[in-house]
Amino acid sequence: MELIKELPDVFEEFAEQRQQSFLGIKELKDKGVPIVGTFCTYFPQEIAMAMGAATVSLCSTSDETIPAAEKDLPKNLCPLIKSSYGFAATKKCPFFYFSDLVVGETTCDGKKKMYEYLSQFKDVFTMELPNRQTEDGLQLWKNEIIRFKEYLEQKFEVTITEEQIRDAVRVQNEGRVALKRLYELMKLDPAPMKGQDLFKVLYGSTFKPDRSKIPAEVNAIADKIEKEYAEGKMEEKKPRILVTGCPIGGATEKVIKAIEDNGGIVVTFENCSGAKSIDKLVDEDTDDIYQAIAERYLSIGCSVMTPNPNRLELLGRLMDEYQVDGVVEMILQACHTYNVESLGIRRFVNEEKGKPYISVETDYSQADIGQLNTRIAAFIEML
Ligand code: BJ8
């Protein structure tokens, strides 16, 4: 059995995606392509894509601009919110700088209040996301999706046809199928790649303004990995870890690294950096495309929903399918919804699935890496 010693270049290319897209976004802007900045997995990308807009993720993942953000926002606020606001306020994020419009959703309290300040120096459209996945909630969300479409038509003086929306749905679904094919390779035991490498592709893909390029690029990586696995290239057998909790990316990749530096391998990501944002397709075979989009997005199991059964459904399914030995939850400091929900997640993992669980609370600094290593090493040791 030959072990993979070095990162294949394909992963590195995706790791550089964010920086590469900085240049690409300026070119798109110069060509007159509308740029729509987004913050959340609930954002129905297909509506903006239908009018030919490029969508880019604005969630910021470094502590560089947090001191600037703390001039306006409280210190004890989630670092994702402070960092995002800080990059916007200091104009250090090219994605934000070039965005013609920023779309937010009424998810957690911190985010929705931050959007109020953001709207003082940028066009912000805030979609009202219901907190419940009920029939009434679905109707509200569908209405919001249509309201967003009408807003875009008015702002950009375009007409968005149903056919264009259906085309965008097809492109997005193809991307989801390709990304899912790649991450499902981690069902293999031993795993075919490190979780850190898989993550580079998952995270990098969120910064691709041209979503239609995702399937070919990601399928090429999956083909390569499948071929190499058949030839005997694979990781060593290690305790298989599922990562859940708040979105990971940038500074918080330290958690994935701590798991893999201390003897584990991350075989699946349940959070918004992974399956939560990819798992379900929009139904293309429908007479009411707005209803299908609303159903797909509202079904996302984020802790801002109450109750939040869909998170447990996905978590349980992933634990079984990926033969998970333990669950690590990453919670950002001051994220109340994930923090409160962690008790329910612990009980579900321990009692219903009979597996060990650990939660780690962290921020965007690197100050706690020693402590993370110690706690995670002890957790993996007992698996
Ligand atoms: S669908 S996880 S991207 S809301 S970590 S800002 S919840 S205080 S990011 Fe999220 Fe959409 Fe949910 Fe996903 Fe608030 Fe918590 Fe901060 Fe968060």
Side-chain angles (χ1 to χ4, degrees):
M1 185 173 78
E2 190 186 337
L3 298 176
I4 297 174
K5 295 271 167 24
E6 290 182 14
L7 289 177
D9 290 344
V10 287
F11 296 129
E12 286 307 315
E13 278 170 28
F14 264 86
E16 298 299 318
Q17 186 57 54
R18 192 163 186 266
Q19 276 75 9
Q20 285 170 19
S21 296
F22 287 165
L23 303 170
I25 216 77
K26 163 99 175 61
E27 279 169 26
L28 289 172
K29 184 81 179 175
D30 291 343
K31 284 186 199 156
V33 174
I35 314 288
V36 177
T38 73
F39 279 106
C40 179
T41 305
Y42 283 108
F43 172 63
Q45 300 211 17
E46 287 87 345
I47 304 298
M49 287 166 62
M51 68 159 195
T55 58
V56 285
S57 168
L58 297 177
C59 273
S60 296
T61 49
S62 122
D63 63 357
E64 187 189 338
T65 60
I66 286 181
E70 286 175 348
K71 288 184 185 153
D72 292 347
L73 302 173
K75 279 194 167 48
N76 64 342
L77 186 66
C78 155
L80 191 153
I81 303 172
K82 287 191 290 188
S83 173
S84 300
Y85 180 85
F87 272 98
T90 58
K91 299 193 170 57
K92 281 189 175 167
C93 171
F95 293 151
F96 188 89
Y97 184 78
F98 289 119
S99 290
D100 298 290
L101 174 69
V102 171
V103 182
E105 297 76 17
T106 54
T107 50
C108 62
D109 289 350
K111 254 186 179 169
K112 69 191 177 204
K113 297 307 286 181
M114 180 270 277
Y115 296 143
E116 293 176 17
Y117 295 120
L118 211 55
S119 67
Q120 291 173 2
F121 49 90
K122 201 79 187 176
D123 261 3
V124 176
F125 184 90
T126 304
M127 300 181 72
E128 186 175 352
L129 180 78
N131 285 172
R132 286 180 191 264
Q133 292 148 325
T134 56
E135 277 307 311
D136 285 348
L138 188 59
Q139 191 57 48
L140 170 63
W141 190 230
K142 181 179 167 187
N143 291 345
E144 281 297 283
I145 290 171
I146 294 169
R147 187 173 73 88
F148 175 53
K149 179 199 90 106
E150 290 170 352
Y151 174 83
L152 290 179
E153 289 180 322
Q154 200 187 10
K155 178 176 169 63
F156 294 96
E157 297 177 349
V158 293
T159 302
I160 300 174
T161 66
E162 197 177 308
E163 201 184 334
Q164 289 169 322
I165 295 176
R166 286 180 184 272
D167 281 347
V169 164
R170 191 181 37 75
V171 169
Q172 276 293 83
N173 275 350
E174 284 171 2
R176 290 177 185 121
V177 168
L179 288 163
K180 201 166 175 180
R181 178 187 163 211
L182 178 71
Y183 74 61
E184 286 189 339
L185 292 176
M186 294 301 258
K187 288 180 183 173
L188 293 165
D189 189 12
M193 62 190 133
K194 286 191 167 59
Q196 290 172 91
D197 289 337
L198 170 63
F199 188 82
K200 288 186 176 113
V201 181
L202 296 175
Y203 187 56
S205 70
T206 65
F207 297 105
K208 273 209 177 292
D210 185 352
R211 316 292 301 163
S212 67
K213 290 190 173 152
I214 290 178
E217 292 178 17
V218 173
N219 278 323
I221 299 173
D223 289 344
K224 185 176 190 296
I225 290 168
E226 266 182 353
K227 182 170 169 289
E228 290 180 350
Y229 198 84
E231 292 165 357
K233 284 189 178 179
M234 56 194 66
E235 294 294 317
E236 277 175 86
K237 220 169 159 31
K238 293 174 183 168
R240 298 166 66 82
I241 305 296
L242 177 148
V243 167
T244 184
C246 298
I248 291 185
T252 45
E253 286 172 49
K254 62 188 174 183
V255 176
I256 311 172
K257 189 169 184 310
I259 294 167
E260 299 199 329
D261 282 354
N262 288 288
I265 185 150
V266 179
V267 290
T268 181
F269 297 90
E270 183 276 332
N271 54 5
C272 274
S273 322
K276 203 193 290 291
S277 62
I278 299 166
D279 181 57
K280 285 201 166 56
L281 303 183
V282 175
D283 182 7
E284 294 178 41
D285 191 19
T286 173
D287 291 337
D288 187 345
I289 197 67
Y290 295 106
Q291 178 79 11
I293 293 172
E295 283 174 0
R296 187 272 172 195
Y297 281 95
L298 191 64
S299 72
I300 291 167
C302 172
S303 62
V304 297
M305 290 293 156
T306 181
N308 185 19
N310 293 354
R311 183 174 177 203
L312 297 185
E313 187 279 321
L314 178 60
L315 189 59
R317 183 155 46 88
L318 294 176
M319 286 183 72
D320 294 342
E321 290 178 355
Y322 292 78
Q323 302 161 67
V324 164
D325 297 307
V327 170
V328 175
E329 175 153 42
M330 196 277 305
I331 299 172
L332 291 173
Q333 274 171 12
C335 175
H336 301 320
T337 56
Y338 276 98
N339 223 338
V340 172
E341 198 164 276
S342 71
L343 172 65
I345 299 298
R346 177 188 294 278
R347 284 177 178 159
F348 175 78
V349 172
N350 288 165
E351 293 163 22
E352 285 191 41
K353 307 302 289 181
K355 296 289 180 188
Y357 164 98
I358 186 177
S359 69
V360 292
E361 198 175 348
T362 189
D363 61 11
Y364 285 179
S365 77
Q366 299 298 304
D368 61 352
I369 285 182
Q371 194 200 8
L372 276 176
N373 276 321
T374 308
R375 288 195 61 211
I376 288 175
F379 178 71
I380 291 171
E381 183 84 32
M382 65 156 202
L383 295 178

